[in-house]
Amino acid sequence: MENQNNVTEFVFMGLWGNKKIEPLFFFLFLLCYLTVLMGNIIILLTITCSHLIQQPMYYFLCHLSLMDLCYTSTVVPRLVRDLAAARKNISYNNCMTQLFTAHLLVGVEMFILVSMAFDRYVAIVKPLHYMVIMNRQRCNMLIIMAWVVGFWHSIALLLMVLNLPFCGPNKLDHYICDVKPLLKLVCKDIHVVSILVIANSGMVVLAIFLALVASYIVILYNLRVRSSIGRQKALSTCSSHIMVVVLFFVPCIYTYALPAGTENKDKEISLFYTVIAPMLNPLIYTLRNMEMKIAMRKVWSKAVHSDLK
């Protein structure tokens, strides 16, 4: 029997469903989005306009900031618009586009974080071979792999959703088009599809997170033989990475490792990786990193001097 799809648009139920507080959250999320834009653009310009772009760690950080900018721009502007709108609707095609784009960018970001962890692992565990292993060709290959893996992850989810029948209910209990709230509107048994989604997203995210935790345990174990100055510098860098990984992965695991039918706080928890993590990443990587502070001072003082001439 052919799948029927009578739904041409979805209506977001929003975050809390309280009209009175929506103007307050409109300004709050608008401020958060502007902070994300400003912080990540500063990181991008600082790295690309300084010698830091030659270092693999900052090369990956540059790509991470770009992903934060792109991913937040697929989610937050619509959220802000909907907070000011009387009717929070999105067409079926735009919903599928947002689903694909968001998961593509999240997939790429995950594997950039894996690449950053690999970079730190090589720098601390195999320091003598670091420049040979982490050459620019291998860094480019890791970024290309991140895009390929992100694409296959998101296209698999999209094809699953496109083959599902939506026969009537179109109220989406979320503020973005995501796979789990969409599954709740499907008019057929979703048991098998739900398992496939958990395998595609939840279990993959959990496995990557556990691999990252294991790599950082090995890194911290190897730091014991370093000098106190070297240990302090490496700990500062690794602690920044660990904070970003926890902020990003733990909410993702909570959101995607549980079945679609369970009553949980998915949409509230998802704010951590859609808004909060992209907003805090620039602060984590600049306030705790002396090289970034020095490069920022040089780049922006040079920019000010050139404007004054």
Side-chain angles (χ1 to χ4, degrees), residues 12 18 80 121 123 131 141 154 205 212 238 247 253 255 297:
F12 293 124
N18 188 337
V80 170
Y121 174 86
M131 295 309 296
M141 185 188 72
S154 56
V205 173
L212 288 174
C238 288
L247 266 174
I253 291 167
T255 303
R297 279 196 290 267

Side-chain angles (χ1 to χ4, degrees), residues 1-7 10 161 163-170 181-191 193:
M1 184 177 175
E2 190 178 341
N3 286 341
Q4 285 187 329
N5 193 349
N6 301 326
V7 173
F10 296 100
V161 175
N163 285 318
L164 296 173
F166 297 94
C167 312
N170 69 338
L182 282 168
L183 288 181
K184 293 178 183 179
L185 303 180
V186 174
C187 50
K188 78 168 192 178
D189 181 48
I190 60 163
H191 183 70
V193 179

Side-chain angles (χ1 to χ4, degrees), residues 265-284:
K265 301 288 184 182
D266 281 355
K267 57 185 178 181
E268 290 88 353
I269 295 295
S270 66
L271 286 173
F272 278 94
Y273 56 84
T274 56
V275 181
I276 296 171
M279 186 173 62
L280 293 180
N281 284 357
L283 294 175
I284 292 170

Side-chain angles (χ1 to χ4, degrees), residues 55-84:
Q55 298 182 40
M57 183 176 81
Y58 296 104
Y59 176 75
F60 291 131
L61 178 56
C62 193
H63 283 276
L64 181 70
S65 291
L66 182 61
M67 287 306 101
D68 279 339
L69 272 175
C70 295
Y71 177 63
T72 310
S73 296
T74 65
V75 175
V76 181
R78 178 168 282 277
L79 169 61
V80 170
R81 191 211 72 171
D82 287 342
L83 286 168

